[in-house]
Amino acid sequence: MNGQYASLLIALPLISAFFVPLIKGAGKKAVKYYLVLITALQTGIAAWVFQQVYTSGKPIIVMAGAWRPPVGINLYIGHFAALFVFIVALVSFLMAVFSVRAIQVEPIDKYAMLFLLLMLGATGMIATGDIFNLFVFMEITAISAYALTAYNKTGEAAEASLKYIVLGGIGSSFFLIGIALIYGSLGTLNMAQIAQLAGGMNATVAQVGLALIVFGLAVEAELFPLNAWAPDAYQAAPHPITAMFSAFVVKAGIYAMARLLYLMQAVGSWHSVLKLLVVLATLTVIVAELAALRQKNVKRMIAYSSIAQIGLIALAFALGTQSGVDAAVFHMVNHAIVKGMLFLAVGYVAMSLGGAELENFRGLGKRMPLMAFGISVGAVATVGIPLFNIFWSKIRIILATLDVGYTWAAVLVLTASVVEAVYYFRLLHVIWFQGEGTKTDENIAIGLMVLFLATLVIVIGIYPDYAWNIAQKAGADIFNVADYIKNVPLMGVGA
Amino acid sequence: MLKRALAIITLLIIGYWLAQGLAGVPFGEDRMLVGQYYLDHVKEQTGAVNAVTAVVVNYRGFDTLGEVTVLFIASTGVGALLWRRKKERTAKTEGSIVLTTGTRLLVPFVMLFGAYIFIHGHLTPGGGFPGGATIATAFLLLYMAFIVYEIPHKAFEKVEGAVGMTYVIVGLIGLAIGGYFLYDWIWQDWQWGAENIGRLFSGGFIPVIYTIIGLKVGTELSGIIDNMVKEEVSE
């Protein structure tokens, strides 16, 4: 089949979101099952694209409007994008199923539209090959995220959303100024052509432009000084949306940051921007882990832990080496699975027991063994115990960090992991060894999803080679810029 | 005081830093790699006289589809956050007779002009977004002048969704005919209006898309106004 059909990844969620107002008369149930159906279709398309890219070894270049880049906009679905578009679709599908039970607040039709557009935005951010188009998709993601954060219409949710909007607005403006600087200096917006021309760029312009872009994306990517919105938003957003934030919205932001950074490797001031990012990332890990230690609300605690993991990914991306990028991608995959599962299980518990306070989790092992099992696997995996998936990616990140010579960063990050172990084991203690209770019914569909994700965690933990292979290919896609340029069929405009 | 002083100093430092960056951008020099291509080829490749709309709708149509989506999200988001089971307008004072009569007279002209802007997108400055905003202004006028006026919600919501779908469908037809998403089949394959450049019936699918965008933007902004001026009423 023609590779251009990969553009359905963008077209399908869009047209389905526009279709929702026409079927909202059919009732709440219909809208929810419609959402499940569309995300299932999207997963199917994404699986096809994944299979295409990984069997042929060649990226799919979608050219919108048949214009060759850099005149037109192209999507670059290489190894990384194919993998992550698939993860985005899969997580969205699971969360759509979860939404059938979890979302009772009206208006459900608007929820369905925003949900689909959040998925669309993340897919576009990961797939696009044009820097301004990246901005547009980032806005789609961010604005649907603002609306979804406030969806529960509590005071807390409104406050969280307001914080997010203000920070996000400032971040996007920085990002836009960065784009303007780069465009002003190079005269092109296409990522491949930017990479081609980056070597001849004025060093100061490049440094200012890149730093602005890093700062702009840091809001979406939850890096330290700009992530104050995240814990509030995670706590206040509807449960399925929290899982989506953690599993792929952040990842899209951090990927965009990494992609742009590596495209501009040839720039003279590149290493100083990397150093800035290493500092930010290390600070993110430490601050988030220490903040998580004191939380009484489990959802908020896991939100902080999620931020800390993102800091680890950012650290690995900031190393500037092949092994660091590979490790970061591997960690992104693992973290998406684990945090998807954790937020799913915690969300379900909070939904059934009326809140995610630590007290509610007392004796959960006896009351909801399946959910307790899911949370335990997730907790143990996040800490990085051998035989679970995150162990492998964490150790690779640490090794890559030591390779480059950032011993201080490695030591600090490892220390933070110890803090992480403390609060996760406290949670496990509360779940299994405190409180009493009788078994209550658990929803079968949600139980199956948790089991499926837990199996993934353990299978990757025991046989990491296959997943590591995929991650290496995806990492090469980001690191190896020469190949990236070669794969985009640039027409010789102005070159 | 200290806070303000610190803020000013920080801003000055950031401003200086940005100025340093800007100083490196060669303003006024010929830096148009892609821009020159657009200017040289816009007529033969898209059939539009207005280069900006050709870039926005045709060459970089993907971005415009995204922007339309952003607006759709904004309107949906406002709708979701201000959703109440029962909402009504609670305006208290009727506008003066000068205002209401003036509005009655003005609204058709404003709407006509809005439609003119988006239909002539490929020929004159403007296009779907300003045209749609102008139409929404007409509805804003109605809301401001009359205390009971309400847009027909059901119809507006459906139009909003349907025209959005049409945009994507036009793109998908391009995928089916030309093999590329958002491919301008009307111009590239049919050569429709090729001898007519500079007149109304030309420009490939640009007028079609701009009509869609105009309707979409008009209904969306009106919907946002409607959501924002209404208040919850207890039953």
Side-chain angles (χ1 to χ4, degrees):
Chain A
M1 223 157 95
N2 185 342
Q4 296 298 324
Y5 281 93
S7 54
L8 286 175
L9 285 172
I10 307 289
L12 177 75
L14 255 184
I15 201 165
S16 338
F18 291 146
F19 189 61
V20 172
L22 302 178
I23 58 154
K24 78 182 249 210
K28 275 169 80 170
K29 269 259 164 64
V31 173
K32 284 177 183 170
Y33 285 113
Y34 171 77
L35 192 60
V36 174
L37 175 75
I38 298 298
T39 44
L41 267 179
Q42 174 89 351
T43 315
I45 301 174
W48 168 71
V49 168
F50 179 82
Q51 187 255 339
Q52 286 281 311
V53 170
Y54 275 80
T55 47
S56 71
K58 287 245 177 316
I60 296 177
I61 310 288
V62 174
M63 286 184 272
W67 303 110
R68 281 176 65 187
V71 168
I73 293 173
N74 69 302
L75 299 184
Y76 180 96
I77 307 181
H79 286 100
F80 182 90
L83 173 64
F84 264 82
V85 163
F86 181 58
I87 291 179
V88 168
L90 189 66
V91 172
S92 301
F93 170 64
L94 296 180
M95 290 310 140
V97 175
F98 184 30
S99 298
V100 174
R101 282 294 305 277
I103 301 298
Q104 301 301 338
V105 186
E106 287 284 2
I108 206 76
D109 58 314
K110 304 261 194 296
Y111 174 82
M113 291 185 237
L114 293 169
F115 184 103
L116 284 171
L117 294 170
L118 187 68
M119 175 174 86
L120 165 85
T123 309
M125 273 177 88
I126 289 164
T128 189
D130 187 280
I131 187 170
F132 186 77
N133 198 233
L134 174 65
F135 173 74
V136 172
F137 278 118
M138 186 176 110
E139 286 297 281
I140 293 182
T141 318
I143 298 177
S144 29
Y146 304 151
L148 283 168
T149 303
Y151 185 78
N152 279 341
K153 300 195 199 67
T154 55
E156 205 185 24
E159 190 197 329
S161 177
L162 187 69
K163 259 189 212 167
Y164 188 10
I165 276 196
V166 171
L167 267 176
I170 297 171
S172 331
S173 339
F174 272 142
F175 185 66
L176 196 57
I177 300 173
I179 292 178
L181 274 177
I182 290 176
Y183 181 69
S185 143
L186 293 180
T188 183
L189 291 168
N190 186 278
M191 288 187 190
Q193 201 175 19
I194 288 177
Q196 221 172 31
L197 303 176
M201 209 172 158
N202 181 316
T204 332
V205 184
Q207 190 183 23
V208 175
L210 255 185
L212 281 172
I213 284 179
V214 167
F215 259 105
L217 283 169
V219 177
E220 285 305 311
E222 298 169 8
L223 292 186
F224 165 60
L226 300 164
N227 61 4
W229 62 272
D232 290 352
Y234 278 57
Q235 191 182 348
H239 302 307
I241 301 302
T242 309
M244 288 165 80
F245 279 174
S246 174
F248 63 73
V249 174
V250 202
K251 307 275 189 332
I254 204 149
Y255 153 75
M257 188 186 273
R259 170 66 90 196
L260 292 177
L261 264 180
Y262 282 92
L263 284 180
M264 299 183 76
Q265 273 174 359
V267 158
S269 42
W270 193 58
H271 285 281
S272 56
V273 180
L274 282 193
K275 262 181 211 140
L276 167 80
L277 197 54
V278 169
V279 174
L280 288 185
T282 316
L283 277 174
T284 309
V285 178
I286 295 167
V287 172
E289 296 288 24
L290 287 178
L293 194 57
R294 301 183 45 214
Q295 299 308 319
K296 293 271 174 279
N297 185 306
V298 176
K299 215 175 158 196
R300 197 178 176 84
M301 187 182 97
I302 297 174
Y304 274 114
S305 147
S306 174
I307 294 171
Q309 302 293 322
I310 299 297
L312 265 180
I313 296 171
L315 174 65
F317 271 132
L319 298 175
T321 58
Q322 174 83 62
S323 54
V325 175
D326 293 350
V329 175
F330 193 26
H331 199 60
M332 279 165 93
V333 177
N334 289 336
H335 180 251
I337 299 170
V338 169
K339 278 290 160 13
M341 178 174 71
L342 268 175
F343 278 114
L344 178 66
V346 169
Y348 182 73
V349 172
M351 192 181 89
S352 334
L353 304 180
E357 264 65 42
L358 200 56
E359 285 76 51
N360 288 343
F361 285 75
R362 237 171 257 280
L364 194 74
K366 296 175 189 99
R367 285 186 290 169
M368 294 182 162
L370 208 51
M371 293 300 140
F373 170 71
I375 295 174
S376 313
V377 171
V380 174
T382 313
V383 174
I385 307 278
L387 292 184
F388 289 91
N389 60 355
I390 285 189
F391 167 73
W392 299 106
S393 46
K394 245 188 193 171
I395 203 157
R396 283 191 200 276
I397 290 178
I398 303 288
L399 288 178
T401 314
L402 290 175
D403 264 356
V404 184
Y406 286 122
T407 318
W408 58 272
V411 170
L412 287 174
V413 166
L414 268 180
T415 321
S417 273
V418 177
V419 177
E420 188 167 46
V422 172
Y423 65 79
Y424 269 119
F425 284 117
R426 197 181 59 197
L427 175 66
L428 291 186
H429 182 77
V430 169
I431 289 180
W432 293 105
F433 300 109
Q434 281 185 5
E436 284 299 321
T438 48
K439 196 171 175 313
T440 50
D441 275 344
E442 291 172 281
N443 186 287
I444 298 170
I446 291 162
L448 278 180
M449 292 194 294
V450 169
L451 274 184
F452 165 67
L453 291 171
T455 320
L456 266 184
V457 169
I458 294 168
V459 169
I460 295 179
I462 297 173
Y463 304 103
D465 288 342
Y466 180 70
W468 171 240
N469 245 332
I470 290 180
Q472 265 179 322
K473 278 185 186 155
D477 188 32
I478 296 180
F479 186 76
N480 201 336
V481 178
D483 275 353
Y484 181 87
I485 299 172
K486 212 170 63 203
N487 284 328
V488 180
L490 285 174
M491 58 194 290
V493 173
Chain B
M1 193 58 214
L2 185 66
K3 240 185 186 171
R4 189 169 295 177
L6 277 177
I8 291 172
I9 291 169
T10 323
L11 279 179
L12 282 176
I13 294 172
I14 294 176
Y16 176 74
W17 181 65
L18 278 179
Q20 285 287 307
L22 276 173
V25 177
F27 283 107
E29 279 173 40
D30 187 8
R31 267 291 174 186
M32 300 208 297
L33 283 188
V34 187
Q36 198 57 51
Y37 180 90
Y38 291 143
L39 292 181
D40 293 343
H41 299 276
V42 61
K43 264 197 199 168
E44 31 143 337
Q45 286 187 341
T46 68
V49 182
N50 184 343
V52 177
T53 49
V55 172
V56 168
V57 179
N58 214 322
Y59 291 112
R60 299 182 60 89
F62 217 46
D63 280 344
T64 309
L65 188 57
E67 289 301 344
V68 171
T69 314
V70 167
L71 212 56
F72 180 69
I73 298 170
S75 125
T76 313
V78 169
L81 301 192
L82 297 178
W83 188 90
R84 298 288 179 273
R85 200 157 287 284
K86 199 159 179 236
K87 282 168 76 179
E88 258 173 30
R89 293 203 56 191
T90 49
K92 293 209 173 53
T93 41
E94 180 84 50
S96 76
I97 182 94
V98 179
L99 182 64
T100 50
T101 317
T103 305
R104 259 182 239 275
L105 290 173
L106 259 179
V107 162
F109 287 105
V110 176
M111 287 201 180
L112 195 65
F113 185 59
Y116 163 80
I117 295 179
F118 68 66
I119 290 170
H120 289 75
H122 53 304
L123 305 171
T124 56
F129 289 94
T134 311
I135 288 181
T137 316
F139 285 105
L140 179 63
L141 264 176
L142 289 173
Y143 269 102
M144 294 293 120
F146 301 100
I147 53 175
V148 286
Y149 180 78
E150 272 191 54
I151 55 168
H153 307 271
K154 286 239 167 77
F156 263 53
E157 257 185 3
K158 298 231 153 76
V159 168
E160 191 185 327
V163 290
M165 281 175 69
T166 322
Y167 194 163
V168 186
I169 287 171
V170 170
L172 288 176
I173 293 175
L175 182 62
I177 295 180
Y180 295 96
F181 186 53
L182 288 176
Y183 175 75
D184 184 357
W185 36 283
I186 297 181
W187 178 260
Q188 309 266 10
D189 284 354
W190 296 1
Q191 295 279 313
W192 184 79
E195 324 74 54
N196 216 10
I197 294 178
R199 291 163 184 263
L200 186 55
F201 292 107
S202 68
F205 72 5
I206 296 177
V208 178
I209 298 253
Y210 261 158
T211 309
I212 292 169
I213 295 177
L215 288 175
K216 192 157 175 58
V217 172
T219 45
E220 263 158 15
L221 293 180
S222 311
I224 292 180
I225 296 167
D226 176 74
N227 268 310
M228 285 189 159
V229 296
K230 284 198 205 141
E231 284 171 41
E232 186 174 15
V233 284
S234 44
E235 288 159 43

